[in-house]
Amino acid sequence: MKIGIIGAGNMGFTLAKLFIKARYQVAISNSRGPESLQEMVKQLGDNCIALKVNDAAAFGDVVLLTVPWRSPEALPDPQYLKDKIVIDAMNPYKENGELFELGESTSSEETAKRLPGSLIVKAFNTIHFKHLADAPQKELPLQERRAIFIAGDNTEAKAKVARLIEQIGFAGIDNGSLHDGGKLQEPNAELYNKEITCGEALTLEAKNRK
Ligand SMILES: NC(=O)c1ccc[n+]([C@@H]2O[C@H](COP(=O)([O-])OP(=O)(O)OC[C@H]3O[C@@H](n4cnc5c(N)ncnc54)[C@H](OP(=O)(O)O)[C@@H]3O)[C@@H](O)[C@H]2O)c1
């Protein structure tokens, strides 16, 4: 499976490294073009190439969004993402660090409106990039690994993202629809920055259901 990454900063680079270690082919992209990414490509090795944003979107069977949410112009043209799984890791911060007021909506529902036709799955939003880099635990059983929450409206797409998360050393936990699950993952909500194992997350979920 090939993964296209839109945004090659802290999150994009860290996840590219993890996906490549798990033997995926990765294309990275940024706002300045492939030339500006040559050093990063060298660092990431043979399974990485740098492409323009729309080309990275076309390259990926799965596409990861790690650009600022406040910059919709950074996203690929929706035609390149049609029917693809698109992982939205973006959080709705303004440049000054304040949050956008989204009312009843959530940032990933707004992303879905910007990219009609794609299968949006919200994941990696609640974990700091340094923890992603430091905490992969492939040697541990799933129950003992750190949980990464997955929200979305397409069950099959969420299952594929969960598998991807397992392969990079974490455990994916389905936490509901893009709306309900997405609300819990937003900055300052219940799951944001929550360091919790998969086993603990499942116990908590069972308690909440009672
Ligand atoms: N940092 C974290 O720990 C963390 C955790 C969870 C979620 N997130 C989310 O992940 C996303 C990326 O965060 P990050 O920390 O990786 O950011 P970052 O280091 O600033 O990287 C942003 C990337 O987006 C690209 N980009 C494309 N268009 C842009 C535009 N119009 N304005 C600015 N940058 C543009 C930048 O490319 P150029 O350099 O070429 O402009 C860069 O490659 C954000 O939405 C953030 O909320 C971050």
Side-chain angles (χ1 to χ4, degrees):
M1 190 162 72
K2 295 190 283 188
I3 302 179
I5 300 185
I6 315 301
N10 294 321
M11 281 298 272
F13 173 74
T14 303
L15 282 162
K17 205 168 171 185
L18 291 171
F19 292 140
I20 288 165
K21 199 167 171 213
R23 299 183 184 283
Y24 287 97
Q25 283 177 280
V26 167
I28 52 174
S29 64
N30 66 2
S31 73
R32 287 164 293 145
E35 279 308 312
S36 68
L37 291 166
Q38 289 315 309
E39 268 312 305
M40 197 179 281
V41 168
K42 244 190 239 164
Q43 210 180 325
L44 288 168
D46 283 346
N47 281 327
C48 183
I49 53 172
L51 295 173
K52 290 182 180 166
V53 167
N54 284 340
D55 295 336
F59 170 93
D61 301 305
V62 169
V63 176
L64 170 72
L65 305 178
T66 47
V67 290
W69 183 89
R70 63 179 174 273
S71 308
E73 73 282 2
L75 296 176
D77 187 315
Q79 65 173 302
Y80 297 102
L81 298 174
K82 205 167 170 346
D83 299 325
K84 289 193 184 185
I85 296 174
V86 175
I87 304 175
D88 179 9
M90 305 180 292
N91 288 322
Y93 285 106
K94 296 180 186 171
E95 197 151 13
N96 65 6
E98 286 174 13
L99 286 168
F100 283 91
E101 177 49 63
L102 298 174
E104 268 313 292
S105 188
T106 61
S107 61
S108 292
E109 288 173 288
E110 295 305 310
T111 301
K113 287 180 200 162
R114 292 169 179 172
L115 300 173
S118 61
L119 306 171
I120 300 287
V121 175
K122 188 181 185 83
F124 299 115
N125 304 70
T126 66
I127 182 167
H128 192 267
F129 77 95
K130 287 190 180 152
H131 295 168
L132 268 176
D134 294 344
Q137 298 164 313
K138 231 179 161 177
E139 71 290 354
L140 293 181
L142 283 181
Q143 291 277 333
E144 292 171 33
R145 297 186 191 177
R146 178 158 173 175
I148 305 270
F149 297 94
I150 305 169
D153 296 332
N154 183 297
T155 307
E156 209 179 306
K158 285 195 282 190
K160 281 197 181 153
V161 174
R163 180 87 194 106
L164 201 59
I165 288 171
E166 281 172 28
Q167 286 169 339
I168 63 169
F170 293 86
I173 297 271
D174 182 343
N175 85 302
S177 66
L178 205 55
H179 180 75
D180 294 340
K183 272 241 178 272
L184 296 173
Q185 289 192 40
E186 294 279 62
N188 305 329
E190 201 175 318
L191 300 177
Y192 200 67
N193 280 332
K194 195 167 182 86
E195 278 188 57
I196 186 170
T197 66
C198 168
E200 288 163 347
L202 292 174
T203 308
L204 194 69
E205 201 190 22
K207 252 193 219 157
N208 288 343
R209 251 189 276 121
K210 274 186 195 162

